[in-house]
Amino acid sequence: MKVLIVEDDRIQASKLKLDLMSLGAEEVLIAANCLSAMKLCDQYNFNLIFCDIQLPDHDGIYLLSKIADKCYKSHVVIISAGNSRLLSHIERIGSLLAFKQVTRIDKPYDINALNSLIKNTTCKAKRKKDKCSYNQQLEFTEREILEAIENKHIFVHYQPQIDINTGSIVGLEALARWDHPDYGVVTANQFVNALCEGQTHVRLFQTILEKSLVALQALPESMQLSINITDRDIQWSGLYDSIYQTCALHNFAPNRLKLELSENHLYQADVFSLLTLSRLKLIGVKLSIDDLGLGYSSLIKLTQIPIDEIKINRNLIQNVETDFQKSTIVQLIFNLAQKMQLTCVAEGIEKSETLHYLKSLGISIFQGYLIGKPLPINDITAMISRQFVTDAPAPIHCLIVDDHPIIGAALCQSFKLHNQVQSVASAKNILQALNYIRDNQCNLLLIDINLRGESGFELISQAREKGFQGKVIFMSSGDKPNYPFLSLEKGGIGFIDKGVDVNCLVQQVIQLATSHTQSVDPTVAPSQKKRSSMQSLSKREHEVLDSLMSGHSNKSIANTLSLSEKTVSTYKSRIFDKLGVNSLIEISKMYF
């Protein structure tokens, strides 16, 4: 780590240098004035720059303005014994100069504070590099985004909003994501700025609305849904009809929907937009001002627009517990919301100290990474199910994965006849299945092992990566006796033969799915015991067992695996011992 100290007091500069080197700084240079500091910045790239405000030739603000373009990758630390309010103001100005980071340490500094600052700087720089190194440079065309919408590459993650007084999730904000073939998951703020045409904005909004209403259908009716909207969306003549019809189609009460419009977009609304918002208000749709405090606030607008909620911008929330000016503004906004009988949400909560301080002010609704990061719908459903614990069995949300459309349709119809099943759908291949799991609630997968050109076994690990936390049952019409064994080994709870009648098959699936939840041994469920025993087998033992269950003789197995028949017999004995059986017939009974 290369460090520059800009300090005209030789004793203080030397002490700071010694302390920094004791904390791991590899090279520390000292400049006694602005001119010397600027020359050093021309010669070296510094990780950290400690800058005093009072210097003999110019002040520290002048220096920061001069080196900002050259040292934009540096973390600047303002050190001074001046007025605290003025130093906070200078710290914010430094942040506007686009340095990597700007913080402040008051004189006389504490060695522990210095140590924490260096550690935090190192860790934060590493996280930013790991997380954002490629995303910050991404550029997209509007055509690419439109194609992503058409090809169903746009999906939704949901960030919870929590009432700190009850600890309950009271709402979810829908956040657009792009499953990009080259860059992976791309967040909305990395591509929405590329949208120029109003129609593309509308397409994106409609996509997020549709996916969100489908995903939240089975959640408690008290759960609110927030969706971001732009000034171009509210200027669209079809907005009211689109929202009304989509809510009706999915039996989603409009009073559960909240539209979040940023402060700047809201204040650009024309008369037609205000009429549209008023009509939506009549059917129960709520309106929230997002990022209040970030744009050009005009308080008179609050009297002209039918808003229900104010969200305080994360820039005001950050370090509010130690910043008097921010605290005063946040308190003012909260008091305003209370007087106008509006809900107030603090977003961008990342530290427990911030949360506790805001709670002491009276704010109760919070959103941010400390509360919960944006998650797929199945992860969110799991969180909410722990919140709403009941004795009633959980409803089944089933996805059938079968490459025969007629079989998939027949199974869907049969599933719909059962009261336990709340939703059912079918997919013809792994890609379709993964997209469905990504976008919809799903707690049961019924997978045909022999999909066209791919194995159903491959789906389960990929589904877990998409947030699937439910149960898996495999099925097949093949006569391979090792399928039941492999089904458990791959993480399923059972196997069903497709040769039976459709209604009988569905009944078996429901019985297996529900009994697997309820019939638990005092220690371990039977299927877990079987799976645990199978996991104790080595790779070679798995290969031998697979061949034995497929009907191969010891001699055939020996030739295939390049073993002696005696070694095959030894493996066979080991397998029987580990599984606690005496014959292949017992294994067949156990895993059928």
Side-chain angles (χ1 to χ4, degrees), residues 63-100:
L63 172 62
L64 295 179
S65 67
K66 289 297 182 183
I67 65 173
D69 290 339
K70 302 169 188 174
C71 303
Y72 63 92
K73 293 184 179 180
S74 301
H75 177 179
V76 172
V77 182
I78 298 170
I79 50 173
S80 182
N83 179 278
S84 178
R85 185 172 178 180
L86 176 61
L87 292 176
S88 296
H89 179 66
I90 294 172
E91 183 182 352
R92 284 191 288 272
I93 291 175
S95 300
L96 295 175
L97 292 173
F99 288 104
K100 190 173 198 176

Side-chain angles (χ1 to χ4, degrees), residues 18 30 50 112 117 122 176 178 192 206 213 275 348 353 376 406 456 485 491 497 502 524 536:
L18 291 173
I30 297 176
F50 287 82
N112 293 323
L117 183 144
T122 304
W178 180 358
V192 292
Q206 287 180 301
L213 296 193
L275 290 173
E353 296 87 349
I406 296 177
F485 165 79
D497 189 346
V502 168
V524 186
S536 69

Side-chain angles (χ1 to χ4, degrees), residues 395-535:
I396 293 175
H397 299 274
C398 181
L399 175 64
I400 301 159
V401 187
D402 194 305
D403 56 6
H404 295 283
I406 296 177
I407 294 177
L411 288 171
C412 282
Q413 289 299 318
S414 182
F415 267 109
K416 290 176 181 178
L417 299 176
H418 293 264
N419 293 330
Q420 302 102 309
V421 180
Q422 187 159 341
S423 66
V424 60
S426 64
K428 292 187 291 185
N429 53 52
I430 289 178
L431 180 60
Q432 284 185 7
L434 291 175
N435 286 342
Y436 182 87
I437 293 167
R438 181 193 68 191
D439 294 336
N440 300 272
Q441 288 194 55
C442 180
N443 56 18
L444 177 62
L445 285 175
L446 178 60
I447 308 173
D448 188 355
I449 296 173
N450 297 308
L451 298 173
R452 189 173 295 119
E454 50 192 2
S455 169
F457 288 136
E458 297 173 5
L459 173 58
I460 188 165
S461 61
Q462 297 179 57
R464 299 294 182 199
E465 292 176 2
K466 295 289 185 182
F468 177 74
Q469 301 181 25
K471 303 164 190 170
V472 179
I473 298 173
F474 290 100
M475 60 180 178
S476 177
S477 55
D479 57 356
K480 286 196 174 184
N482 62 333
Y483 274 170
F485 165 79
L486 289 174
S487 297
L488 292 174
E489 183 192 29
K490 296 296 184 180
I493 62 170
F495 171 84
I496 292 178
D497 189 346
K498 284 176 67 177
V500 300
D501 174 74
V502 168
N503 292 326
C504 180
L505 186 152
V506 170
Q507 188 64 47
Q508 288 182 43
V509 170
I510 293 175
Q511 288 178 351
L512 185 57
T514 53
S515 65
H516 185 263
T517 302
Q518 298 166 357
S519 63
V520 179
D521 183 89
T523 53
V524 186
S527 62
Q528 290 176 316
K529 290 181 178 179
K530 296 175 186 178
R531 194 178 307 157
S532 177
S533 299
M534 289 185 289
Q535 289 174 343

Side-chain angles (χ1 to χ4, degrees), residues 226-240:
S226 299
I227 298 181
N228 291 286
I229 195 168
T230 69
D231 58 329
R232 296 184 182 181
D233 296 320
I234 61 175
Q235 290 168 6
W236 174 45
S237 61
L239 179 66
Y240 175 86

Side-chain angles (χ1 to χ4, degrees), residues 24 43 155 203 294 342-343 488 540 546:
Q43 299 174 41
F155 64 101
R203 288 286 303 279
L294 183 65
L342 305 175
T343 303
L488 292 174
R540 180 62 82 181
D546 191 23

Side-chain angles (χ1 to χ4, degrees), residues 114-394:
L114 190 65
N115 186 28
S116 297
L117 183 144
I118 291 175
K119 284 184 177 179
N120 290 339
T121 301
T122 304
C123 292
K124 190 171 285 187
K126 185 179 185 301
R127 285 198 302 268
K128 284 188 176 182
K129 181 178 179 182
D130 292 343
K131 186 177 179 180
C132 306
S133 57
Y134 66 85
N135 283 342
Q136 290 175 337
Q137 306 299 323
L138 297 182
E139 292 184 3
F140 303 104
T141 65
E142 187 154 9
R143 182 63 221 169
E144 287 177 309
I145 299 169
L146 194 56
E147 288 177 354
I149 296 172
E150 293 171 350
N151 294 329
K152 299 183 179 179
H153 293 162
I154 300 297
F155 64 101
V156 185
H157 277 176
Y158 303 87
Q159 187 167 32
Q161 296 175 347
I162 290 184
D163 185 337
I164 197 65
N165 293 325
T166 63
S168 301
I169 300 174
V170 294
L172 301 170
E173 180 178 356
L175 300 167
R177 297 291 185 262
W178 180 358
D179 189 3
H180 196 280
D182 297 324
Y183 303 118
V185 176
V186 179
T187 58
N189 60 359
Q190 293 160 343
F191 66 82
V192 292
N193 290 335
L195 299 180
C196 299
E197 295 294 330
Q199 194 58 36
T200 310
H201 271 281
V202 168
R203 288 286 303 279
L204 180 62
F205 170 76
Q206 287 180 301
T207 299
I208 301 305
L209 177 67
E210 176 80 23
K211 289 181 180 292
S212 300
L213 296 193
V214 170
L216 267 69
Q217 273 181 312
L219 293 185
E221 293 184 1
S222 60
M223 194 62 54
Q224 295 285 306
L225 170 67
S226 299
I227 298 181
N228 291 286
I229 195 168
T230 69
D231 58 329
R232 296 184 182 181
D233 296 320
I234 61 175
Q235 290 168 6
W236 174 45
S237 61
L239 179 66
Y240 175 86
D241 289 340
S242 176
I243 291 175
Y244 182 85
Q245 292 169 7
T246 307
C247 286
L249 177 65
H250 299 293
N251 196 28
F252 191 91
N255 61 9
R256 294 178 59 191
L257 179 63
K258 188 184 303 172
L259 302 179
E260 290 192 10
L261 195 61
S262 74
E263 186 180 355
N264 287 339
H265 285 172
L266 188 61
Y267 295 148
Q268 293 172 10
D270 57 17
V271 174
F272 177 80
S273 301
L274 295 178
L275 290 173
T276 300
L277 293 175
S278 298
R279 292 185 68 203
L280 288 169
K281 178 78 174 176
L282 286 175
I283 62 172
V285 176
K286 299 178 180 67
L287 182 63
S288 171
I289 298 183
D290 195 11
D291 290 334
L292 187 69
L294 183 65
Y296 303 97
S297 300
S298 172
L299 295 180
I300 194 63
K301 280 285 187 179
L302 298 179
T303 67
Q304 300 172 348
I305 298 171
I307 62 172
D308 301 274
E309 177 184 274
I310 291 175
K311 297 185 76 174
I312 306 175
N313 177 257
R314 66 184 66 247
N315 290 331
L316 283 174
I317 294 299
Q318 187 177 27
N319 298 322
V320 66
E321 69 276 11
T322 59
D323 190 312
F324 173 75
Q325 289 179 308
K326 286 185 178 180
S327 175
T328 303
I329 295 171
V330 168
Q331 182 73 71
L332 178 67
I333 294 173
F334 176 60
N335 290 342
L336 178 67
Q338 280 191 310
K339 292 292 184 181
M340 297 185 67
Q341 298 182 342
L342 305 175
T343 303
C344 185
V345 179
E347 60 178 346
I349 308 296
E350 297 182 355
K351 297 189 300 183
S352 58
E353 296 87 349
T354 304
L355 186 146
H356 293 311
Y357 179 76
L358 292 171
K359 183 182 177 183
S360 72
L361 296 182
I363 300 174
S364 61
I365 310 297
F366 298 97
Q367 180 179 342
Y369 271 64
L370 180 69
I371 305 299
K373 65 180 182 179
L375 293 169
I377 186 58
N378 285 294
D379 286 344
I380 290 291
T381 303
M383 290 175 63
I384 294 174
S385 65
R386 291 192 290 270
Q387 176 179 316
F388 294 89
V389 178
T390 65
D391 295 330

